[in-house]
Amino acid sequence: MAPWSRKGEKEATGSREGSRGWGQAGSAEPGTRAHTAIGLGPAWESWPRMVTPRVLGALLLLFHLLLASGEGTSIDKSKPTTVPPEQPRNTCHGLLNMGLYDSFYLEDTAECFKKCRQLKNESCDLGNLQRYWLDYETHLVENSTEEKMDLPFLKTFVKSFSTNISEDLHFSLNSSQIPVQLMEDEHKPPDRVRLPRSLFASLQSSKPVVRLAISILDIGSGSLFKGPQLSLEDDGSVLNNRLVGLSLGRMRVTGLAEPLEITFSHEHQPPNMTLTCVFWDVTKGPTGDWSSEGCSTELGAEGTVCRCNHLTFFALLLRPVLDKATVQALTRISQAGCGASMIFLAFTVVSYTVLRFSRQRFKSEDAPKIHLTLSVCLFLLNLAFLINMGHDPNESKSTCWVLGAIFHYFLLCVFTWMALEALHLYLLVIRVFNTYFRHYFLKLSLVGWGLPALMVIGTRSANSYGYYTIHDKENRTSLELCWFREDTALYITVHGYFFVTFLFGAVVLSLVGWKIFTLSSATAGKQQRQNWKGLLTLLGLSSLVGMTWGLAILTPLGLSTIYVFALFNSLQGVFIFCWFIMLYFPSQSDVSSSSGPARVEQTNTTSQE
């Protein structure tokens, strides 16, 4: 063995001995260091004296460096330390609970029905939230093993049905109960759905059995499932905030030959509200919107039947006929029409003045005076309307009731003078003989100006004038006028009085029309031309007796009739001017004609004044 091998063996043996000596250190004599047992010798004894000053110096240097680096970030204990707050869990962004449909997550997501009350709420993602509930319908069919879900805001029923059924399926839709299947001959509740047999028969080729999910979801009064149609500017709402969902999972059902029927029960709605059957269309807009495509609405006294040719989320929209946007549009139309009428009514007054000085018979004829007075009343009514529309809502109550009384007075004057036009027309065309009255126009003036004054005084004594506000269903102000504070006085002095004067004018106009067309039929060879002139004459006379106001009776038929009424009624002054020009500036053919406008007023009731 080589010498280095023996030496290594000895050192190794010594180290093993030293290791045995380490185990015996506890038996060393007092005052003897334990490290002598492992063979370190005197060198270990001198290490503390040599190394300790260096270590201490290094520790002192490190300590000074730490102090120097901590000067820029020293903590002031006199000031509270602010800890960044933990970001709250925002469920209404719609992503945290996506795909999670246990009761806890459903209730957690449903809290957003209350929190998301504005369409532009930054803490709410309407698209994700609405997709969550739409996907839940698919989850019920495809993945869920539960057949029923009963939560305060959600009722669901899931069941498999054979596509080879022999009769229609009926289910109850009570918002406080889980949907229940009904027998064909069983009493049907007010809220229900009928799925036609043909729906399932159309699926026989693809699936013998399908799984159907029916859900009733209460969406609250927030902005979820409202869409642009039911924004705050549109003032509409989902009836009872209730959605009805029908789903076969990922199987898309559209274009049904026989539509399904959903019946929504409700109380009698006010006449200014309209009901429309709709479904949630995910393809409309960035987040979806309501659509009525493929759905029909059958209105009833105690309920509405919706018939649709597809499956999805359905609802019944309740929208005011005169919402805020519609009121603003009608106001602009009325203001423009009234302005045009005032201009043409002023032309009528100027034309009468010119004719009065150029034609002597104008000084004694009563018909032009009646036309002129009606024109003046209409001019003042339009002026009062424009002032009323532009008044400051913060004005005093006394100023408001004065504006309301003036507007009411000129409105009644217009109704009265239109009735007097009808009376004068009756005397000219129908009665013809014995039409002489002393101070005829003076008596008409007493009635035309005096009767409305008495009615206004009586209305003022009952303290009926004040602010008249039109509200929508959400109790938001759509229009504010100085008008009536009480509906009773409005119905009696405006609606009732107008109905009497309008009925009288309509009867007289019908008699005059019969007279005109009877006269034209007696004329041989010119019947077609005479009928045309007779029709034109009736149209001119209808503007005098106020037939355009009668369009108000048709306004409950829909929004289009309201626009027609606002347009034609505000242009009454234009029609009167055209009639006045056609009557008193006729062409030579009209003068020589045996019928027409000139002939209608050829007979004159004279008066002595």
Side-chain angles (χ1 to χ4, degrees):
M1 182 179 293
W4 56 267
S5 300
R6 294 180 181 275
K7 181 179 180 181
E9 182 181 7
K10 183 177 181 179
E11 289 177 354
T13 304
S15 66
R16 284 195 297 268
E17 292 175 355
S19 62
R20 288 194 298 269
W22 176 262
Q24 299 173 354
S27 59
E29 295 181 1
T32 305
R33 294 181 181 272
H35 56 255
T36 59
I38 59 176
L40 293 179
W44 176 262
E45 294 180 0
S46 62
W47 183 87
R49 292 190 299 268
M50 295 187 305
V51 177
T52 299
R54 299 176 183 175
V55 172
L56 290 177
L59 290 176
L60 289 175
L61 179 61
L62 178 61
F63 179 71
H64 284 294
L65 290 174
L66 290 175
L67 289 180
S69 62
E71 288 179 358
T73 58
S74 61
I75 299 175
D76 188 357
K77 295 183 179 181
S78 62
K79 296 182 181 181
T81 303
T82 57
V83 180
E86 184 180 355
Q87 293 296 328
R89 185 176 182 271
N90 193 348
T91 306
C92 295
H93 271 223
L95 296 175
L96 292 178
N97 296 340
M98 192 66 72
L100 304 175
Y101 300 111
D102 292 337
S103 298
F104 170 79
Y105 298 106
L106 291 172
E107 293 177 352
D108 188 34
T109 309
E111 290 294 322
C112 300
F113 289 142
K114 301 177 182 178
K115 296 178 181 177
C116 302
R117 293 190 175 274
Q118 296 179 356
L119 288 176
K120 297 183 179 179
N121 192 337
E122 295 181 356
S123 63
C124 296
D125 191 320
L126 300 182
N128 289 334
L129 291 172
Q130 290 161 176
R131 188 168 64 253
Y132 175 87
W133 295 108
L134 293 172
D135 292 345
Y136 176 63
E137 283 277 296
T138 305
H139 167 78
L140 289 174
V141 177
E142 303 291 342
N143 304 319
S144 177
T145 58
E146 298 180 354
E147 293 188 351
K148 296 179 181 179
M149 178 69 71
D150 189 0
L151 297 173
F153 57 91
L154 178 66
K155 313 292 181 184
T156 63
F157 172 80
V158 186
K159 188 177 179 180
S160 297
F161 293 93
S162 170
T163 55
N164 187 22
I165 57 177
S166 58
E167 57 185 17
D168 297 341
L169 298 183
H170 299 263
F171 301 90
S172 66
L173 294 177
N174 193 328
S175 59
S176 61
Q177 298 176 357
I178 296 175
V180 178
Q181 185 177 0
L182 306 171
M183 296 296 102
E184 184 73 25
D185 56 351
E186 189 176 350
H187 173 72
K188 303 301 187 294
D191 296 272
R192 59 191 181 272
V193 59
R194 180 187 69 84
L195 299 178
R197 172 181 172 274
S198 59
L199 186 157
F200 298 92
S202 63
L203 304 174
Q204 288 185 15
S205 59
S206 59
K207 285 189 176 182
V209 177
V210 293
R211 190 170 171 84
L212 172 67
I214 302 176
S215 59
I216 305 173
L217 181 62
D218 185 353
I219 60 174
S221 58
S223 57
L224 274 170
F225 288 104
K226 295 301 187 292
Q229 281 198 37
L230 301 182
S231 62
L232 294 179
E233 292 75 17
D234 206 13
D235 304 326
S237 64
V238 175
L239 184 69
N240 299 326
N241 297 319
R242 184 178 58 179
L243 269 60
V244 175
L246 302 171
S247 176
L248 295 178
R250 295 188 180 91
M251 186 181 304
R252 187 178 181 185
V253 179
T254 59
L256 296 175
E258 183 181 359
L260 60 91
E261 290 185 2
I262 305 177
T263 303
F264 295 94
S265 65
H266 53 78
E267 298 178 353
H268 180 70
Q269 299 299 326
N272 65 326
M273 306 299 291
T274 180
L275 293 167
T276 308
C277 297
V278 293
F279 73 97
W280 187 256
D281 189 352
V282 295
T283 63
K284 293 186 67 174
T287 60
D289 196 7
W290 292 111
S291 174
S292 59
E293 184 178 356
C295 293
S296 63
T297 305
E298 181 182 331
L299 300 177
E302 298 180 353
T304 298
V305 179
C306 298
R307 295 182 176 89
C308 298
N309 61 3
H310 51 271
L311 300 183
T312 182
F313 266 122
F314 299 95
L316 192 61
L317 294 192
L318 181 67
R319 302 178 64 188
V321 176
L322 292 180
D323 54 23
K324 190 171 183 180
T326 305
V327 169
Q328 291 177 350
L330 291 173
T331 300
R332 294 188 185 99
I333 292 174
S334 299
Q335 289 174 333
C338 289
S341 289
M342 291 177 66
I343 295 174
F344 282 91
L345 288 170
F347 290 161
T348 304
V349 175
V350 173
S351 300
Y352 173 81
T353 305
V354 172
L355 290 174
R356 183 177 176 85
F357 285 102
S358 62
R359 299 183 185 180
Q360 291 297 324
R361 69 185 183 94
F362 257 68
K363 296 181 180 179
S364 59
E365 287 185 355
D366 294 318
K369 297 177 184 178
I370 298 174
H371 302 336
L372 175 69
T373 308
L374 176 60
S375 300
V376 172
C377 289
L378 271 174
F379 182 90
L380 296 175
L381 174 63
N382 291 329
L383 180 61
F385 171 76
L386 295 177
I387 294 175
N388 204 340
M389 291 298 297
H391 84 285
D392 185 2
N394 298 323
E395 290 177 349
S396 62
K397 292 183 179 180
S398 58
T399 303
C400 188
W401 77 252
V402 169
L403 290 175
I406 293 175
F407 186 47
H408 185 208
Y409 175 71
F410 288 122
L411 180 63
L412 295 179
C413 286
V414 169
F415 291 162
T416 306
W417 279 102
M418 287 190 304
L420 295 176
E421 284 274 14
L423 175 63
H424 185 71
L425 190 60
Y426 170 78
L427 295 175
L428 285 177
V429 182
I430 308 301
R431 186 172 178 178
V432 181
F433 301 104
N434 300 322
T435 57
Y436 172 77
F437 299 97
R438 285 179 58 87
H439 306 294
Y440 176 68
F441 183 73
L442 178 60
K443 293 176 181 178
L444 294 182
S445 299
L446 289 176
V447 175
W449 299 106
L451 183 59
L454 293 176
M455 297 177 67
V456 170
I457 292 173
T459 306
R460 175 65 188 99
S461 62
N463 195 26
S464 299
Y465 297 120
Y467 285 105
Y468 182 81
T469 305
I470 299 176
H471 296 281
D472 58 20
K473 195 174 185 298
E474 300 298 330
N475 203 31
R476 290 187 290 267
T477 300
S478 296
L479 182 65
E480 191 174 40
L481 289 172
C482 290
W483 190 224
F484 284 86
R485 294 190 300 109
E486 299 178 358
D487 292 337
T488 303
L490 175 64
Y491 292 144
I492 295 175
T493 63
V494 177
H495 296 176
Y497 189 67
F498 162 73
F499 180 75
V500 172
T501 57
F502 174 77
L503 185 61
F504 175 68
V507 171
V508 171
L509 189 63
S510 300
L511 294 174
V512 171
W514 173 79
K515 193 84 170 180
I516 291 175
F517 287 106
T518 301
L519 180 63
S520 63
S521 62
T523 305
K526 299 181 179 180
Q527 185 175 357
Q528 184 175 1
R529 183 180 180 187
Q530 298 303 335
N531 287 339
W532 179 83
K533 287 189 175 182
L535 180 61
L536 189 62
T537 301
L538 278 181
L539 290 176
L541 293 174
S542 65
S543 64
L544 295 178
V545 297
M547 289 299 102
T548 54
W549 291 82
L551 294 173
I553 301 175
L554 304 178
T555 53
L557 297 179
L559 187 60
S560 58
T561 57
I562 298 178
Y563 279 101
V564 172
F565 167 72
L567 177 62
F568 281 91
N569 198 50
S570 60
L571 294 175
Q572 186 182 6
V574 179
F575 301 147
I576 290 178
F577 171 77
C578 295
W579 168 257
F580 191 87
I581 297 300
M582 186 174 60
L583 182 64
Y584 296 108
F585 295 90
S587 63
Q588 186 63 32
S589 60
D590 290 333
V591 173
S592 60
S593 176
S594 60
S595 67
R599 180 61 182 267
V600 172
E601 300 203 9
Q602 188 176 2
T603 306
N604 181 36
T605 57
T606 58
S607 61
Q608 296 177 1
E609 302 183 28

